[in-house]
Amino acid sequence: MPRVHYAQSWEDPLLLWEIWQRTQPAHVHMVASGGDHALELLQKGIERIEICDTERAQLEHVQGKLKALHHKDRDRLFGYGAKTASQGLLHDGRLEGYLRLFSQRILPWMVSAQNRQGIALQEDAISQVTYLERHWNSWLWRKTIAYLFDPKQIDNNARHPGLVHTSGREKR
């Protein structure tokens, strides 16, 4: 029986499912990350998935999701209908917190509400690009984004300390 070793997080779950359908391995081994891919494959009928992670917190997070799946207050535990974006198992990761800080504090300071709403009103990609160039793409915007989303900033502020093994990673 073939085996699929899946060691990436943030990949396309539809692609992962397609791979599983083609190979139908008896066992799936994958990095736990937030557990979303493993949970989706379990939901689709894969009987056995083994997850591993260098971060104990990630494994505990997946265990919390597994327990929440069968809890009577499942939606609340996952954060559906939460009063704030930081409540629930779907919203409590370091990266989610970093992105929440950006969207709630930095983005409103840099781009007016009118211009944030204006981008949503554009009807096609060309209009969106034109609107962004005209209303968002300032020197301050470019410098701030370059700084906040530099790999070193992400490593220091949005990743678990045990996951930062990127000294040779090139900036793209």
Side-chain angles (χ1 to χ4, degrees):
M1 181 74 53
R3 289 185 171 202
V4 173
H5 295 269
Y6 182 75
Q8 303 297 319
S9 60
W10 291 27
E11 296 296 330
D12 183 347
L14 295 176
L15 176 61
L16 178 60
W17 177 239
E18 184 178 320
I19 291 169
W20 184 84
Q21 287 180 304
R22 287 181 185 184
T23 60
Q24 297 192 3
H27 301 344
V28 176
H29 305 267
M30 59 189 350
V31 172
S33 191
D36 299 333
H37 297 297
L39 292 171
E40 181 162 339
L41 290 177
L42 286 171
Q43 184 268 332
K44 288 187 179 284
I46 293 180
E47 293 182 23
R48 182 177 172 96
I49 298 175
E50 295 180 31
I51 60 172
C52 62
D53 208 295
T54 59
E55 289 295 313
R56 183 179 183 94
Q58 294 295 96
L59 295 169
E60 291 169 357
H61 184 69
V62 175
Q63 286 295 325
K65 285 181 177 180
L66 286 169
K67 288 178 186 174
L69 283 174
H70 303 291
H71 195 278
K72 64 180 180 162
D73 292 326
R74 180 180 77 186
D75 288 351
R76 181 186 57 79
L77 291 171
F78 276 101
Y80 296 117
K83 293 179 182 177
T84 68
S86 63
Q87 295 176 326
L89 291 166
L90 298 178
H91 310 290
D92 67 353
R94 285 188 74 181
L95 177 62
E96 290 82 0
Y98 191 72
L99 294 174
R100 190 169 40 257
L101 172 71
F102 174 77
S103 66
Q104 292 176 354
R105 302 247 173 112
I106 296 167
L107 184 61
W109 172 73
M110 295 188 68
V111 180
S112 71
Q114 178 183 351
N115 286 337
R116 291 192 313 273
Q117 292 169 353
I119 190 67
L121 298 175
Q122 305 309 304
E123 295 184 14
D124 57 49
I126 294 171
S127 298
Q128 290 174 348
V129 169
T130 303
Y131 191 89
L132 286 170
E133 286 295 326
R134 191 174 299 143
H135 299 285
W136 291 48
N137 195 12
S138 67
W139 174 86
L140 180 60
W141 173 259
R142 289 190 304 276
K143 288 292 185 187
T144 302
I145 295 302
Y147 174 76
L148 291 174
F149 294 99
D150 179 90
K152 288 181 184 178
Q153 288 298 321
I154 297 295
D155 286 349
N156 291 335
N157 298 301
R159 297 179 78 203
H160 291 281
L163 300 178
V164 181
H165 301 292
T166 58
S167 59
R169 184 172 69 191
E170 291 183 24
K171 183 178 175 185
R172 294 181 183 204

